[in-house]
Amino acid sequence: MLDGAGMPRRRSPPLHPQIHARDEGAGVDRRRNPRLHPQIQASEEGGGMAHRSSPRLHPQSHASEDGAGLTRTSPVESASLPDDDDMLREILLRLPPQPSSLPRASAVCKRWRRLVTDPKFHRQFRAHHGKPPLLGLFEMSNKGIVFKPILDAPDCIPSQRFNLGRYSQTWHCYLLDCRHGLVLVKNSRQDEVVVCNPITGHQRCLAVPSELRMGHLRGAVLCAAGDHGHVHGGCHWNPFKVVLVSTARSANQPLACVYSSETAIWGNVISAEAPCQFFYPGVPPTLIGSALYWLSTSDVMLKFDLDEHISAVISVPPFTDDFHYRNCRIIQAEDGAISFAILSYPSFQMWQRNVNGHGVATWLPSKTIDMHAVLGLPSLVSGWLLGHDEDTDEIFVYVGTNVYGVQLKLMQSRKLHETSCVNPYYPFKSFYTPAIYEGDEADMLHHP
């Protein structure tokens, strides 16, 4: 076919439909189909030709020809992610706080191991997660003081790993408290209390002050780190405090005394003005703010202010006597106030203590939970309150033949294990990474 100038018009062959050419006069204009080759566009006008590269596919180079001249820019190397320790550290910080996370990461290569074994990284890891995981529960059973793991493999820690040695013998030792990765045990045979660190295996024996030996002794242990940015759960080498309380047999006078590991001495014995009957055994104290609270077998509780070192006796809610003290706990309300919880299965009732502007305190019912409405709990008529995690507001109840963990805020439950014993539980929480220090990842990754 001829056009007006007598020049033959060329068509694209069937194998190359993307090219179309048109000659106008003496000039030829060839265009490529942008759908198939969007990166190349060519035009000829007279004797000039221009080639342009699509910036989407070739942003690093641009070429132009003006007449016979050709100019090309230097290629720019594409940007890559920085391969530095800071970025890798930020990634590793976001690993779950479960026991197997860091040991597994340390086994990847020497570089990862160097990062996750750095004490600075451990502090950052704890600060990022805020609260340590619940590793298990200490229990006073007929076999002594034993640790009951509640995590699944590979995070499940064998019971023998947290054995307290000779202080696990129940015939002369019993649990007083468990907090901040430490366990407090009373050794009746020696009139002493023992602070145990189950992770490191370290123990410290403290002689009970003579003024407190004749009464019913209860106690608390807690980390005494003064850094406001400190996160509990890795307090292996930090200073600690022990608070012991007792009631004199003659006048039911509550007495308290504080031990500081920084000074290695007991302070003065502190007494409360109001009387208080025996403290209920098997119920550890509750830490709310800067104060510890103990239940007693009477209609009062004992408060000990850790800052002011002052003891005070507080009345409990005016409830009826158709309950067992084992089914009572002092817990912290959502607004930080003191709350008193009673399990009369299947009902779980909470009271809140309010103080008016004149300093007068009153107890008011705040919430009642139908435990049968909690997903996963069986519809039985009896149950026992075995323990309480004061950080997560989780309670541990015995229903039927099983122990359940119940999240009060989420209204959810999880089955922990089956047992025939109804014993008090002491939650044990910590960032557990000893295998990194010991250089034996297999200890953490393989369990019976």
Side-chain angles (χ1 to χ4, degrees):
M1 182 181 293
L2 302 178
D3 60 8
M7 299 293 292
R9 178 174 296 175
R10 298 178 181 177
R11 296 182 180 273
S12 300
L15 295 178
H16 300 281
Q18 72 275 20
I19 303 176
H20 301 274
R22 184 177 60 184
D23 296 343
E24 297 179 356
V28 178
D29 183 14
R30 294 185 177 89
R31 301 180 185 271
R32 296 180 183 269
N33 190 333
R35 297 171 57 192
L36 296 178
H37 296 278
Q39 73 274 23
I40 302 177
Q41 292 180 339
S43 65
E44 294 183 5
E45 297 178 357
M49 178 183 293
H51 298 277
R52 295 182 182 178
S53 299
S54 170
R56 293 192 301 169
L57 296 181
H58 297 279
Q60 71 274 19
S61 62
H62 300 278
S64 65
E65 292 185 6
D66 296 329
L70 178 64
T71 304
R72 297 180 183 273
T73 59
S74 300
V76 180
E77 295 183 357
S78 58
S80 61
L81 293 175
D83 185 17
D84 56 20
D85 287 350
D86 290 339
M87 176 167 290
L88 179 57
R89 185 179 292 106
E90 288 298 321
I91 295 174
L92 295 175
L93 284 176
R94 285 156 177 79
L95 290 173
Q98 303 305 319
S100 67
S101 295
L102 295 187
R104 283 184 161 184
S106 70
V108 172
C109 61
K110 292 182 178 180
R111 181 188 176 201
W112 285 35
R113 182 178 180 83
R114 172 176 56 83
L115 289 176
V116 301
T117 56
D118 183 6
K120 180 181 179 181
F121 173 83
H122 282 199
R123 292 191 294 270
Q124 294 172 338
F125 188 79
R126 294 192 294 266
H128 175 78
H129 291 285
K131 294 182 179 179
L134 178 64
L135 302 183
L137 308 161
F138 276 96
E139 175 192 14
M140 291 183 59
S141 68
N142 53 5
K143 298 180 180 179
I145 301 175
V146 297
F147 175 78
K148 302 182 75 68
I150 64 172
L151 298 177
D152 298 327
D155 299 304
C156 180
I157 301 172
S159 298
Q160 60 270 21
R161 179 61 182 84
F162 287 164
N163 187 282
L164 303 182
R166 62 191 181 98
Y167 299 109
S168 296
Q169 302 176 19
T170 191
W171 63 274
H172 67 85
C173 295
Y174 59 90
L175 281 168
L176 292 178
D177 192 26
C178 185
R179 185 181 287 104
H180 299 164
L182 300 174
V183 180
L184 184 65
V185 178
K186 171 67 169 65
N187 183 4
S188 300
R189 188 171 59 182
Q190 300 293 335
D191 277 330
E192 66 181 11
V193 292
V194 185
V195 179
C196 304
N197 188 325
I199 292 181
T200 64
H202 289 78
Q203 299 174 346
R204 183 178 298 187
C205 300
L206 310 174
V208 177
S210 58
E211 296 89 339
L212 278 64
R213 294 181 182 179
M214 299 303 295
H216 294 262
L217 190 70
R218 297 293 177 264
V221 61
L222 62 158
C223 175
D227 184 7
H228 294 289
H230 173 73
V231 177
H232 298 300
C235 319
H236 304 315
W237 316 112
N238 290 331
F240 62 87
K241 289 183 180 180
V242 173
V243 182
L244 295 182
V245 296
S246 178
T247 52
R249 297 179 184 272
S250 57
N252 291 334
Q253 188 72 20
L255 303 175
C257 196
V258 181
Y259 173 88
S260 171
S261 66
E262 296 180 287
T263 61
I265 59 174
W266 291 96
N268 297 326
V269 176
I270 304 164
S271 62
E273 296 181 357
C276 177
Q277 291 184 13
F278 308 140
F279 299 109
Y280 191 79
V283 179
T286 301
L287 178 64
I288 300 178
S290 60
L292 289 162
Y293 298 84
W294 279 272
L295 277 175
S296 73
T297 56
S298 58
D299 56 354
V300 296
M301 67 176 72
L302 180 67
K303 172 185 177 182
F304 183 80
D305 192 306
L306 293 166
D307 293 334
E308 303 295 334
H309 284 202
I310 298 176
S311 293
V313 175
I314 301 175
S315 62
V316 298
F319 44 78
T320 59
D321 295 333
D322 57 346
F323 69 94
H324 198 281
Y325 270 96
R326 176 180 287 185
N327 280 347
C328 298
R329 287 297 185 277
I330 304 168
I331 64 177
Q332 180 173 321
E334 295 181 1
D335 59 354
I338 307 172
S339 183
F340 194 87
I342 307 170
L343 177 63
S344 181
Y345 200 84
S347 177
F348 188 81
Q349 187 177 17
M350 288 183 285
W351 296 66
Q352 184 166 328
R353 187 173 185 264
N354 300 319
V355 181
N356 61 21
H358 302 286
V360 179
T362 56
W363 288 95
L364 297 174
S366 60
K367 184 186 299 184
T368 300
I369 298 175
D370 181 8
M371 301 298 280
H372 287 169
V374 178
L375 183 64
L377 287 179
S379 297
L380 299 179
V381 295
S382 63
W384 291 95
L385 180 58
L386 303 182
H388 171 244
D389 184 352
E390 60 191 21
D391 292 327
T392 61
D393 209 21
E394 182 179 17
I395 60 174
F396 305 98
V397 296
Y398 177 81
V399 184
T401 59
N402 298 309
V403 176
Y404 297 86
V406 181
Q407 287 281 355
L408 298 177
K409 294 179 181 179
L410 301 178
M411 293 289 289
Q412 295 177 351
S413 70
R414 53 174 176 158
K415 181 181 176 181
L416 300 180
H417 52 259
E418 185 176 354
T419 182
S420 58
C421 301
V422 183
N423 299 310
Y425 284 154
Y426 296 72
F428 182 74
K429 307 176 69 175
S430 180
F431 292 100
Y432 180 64
T433 54
I436 295 179
Y437 300 114
E438 298 169 2
D440 182 12
E441 289 81 6
D443 180 61
M444 276 301 307
L445 302 181
H446 302 284
H447 301 299

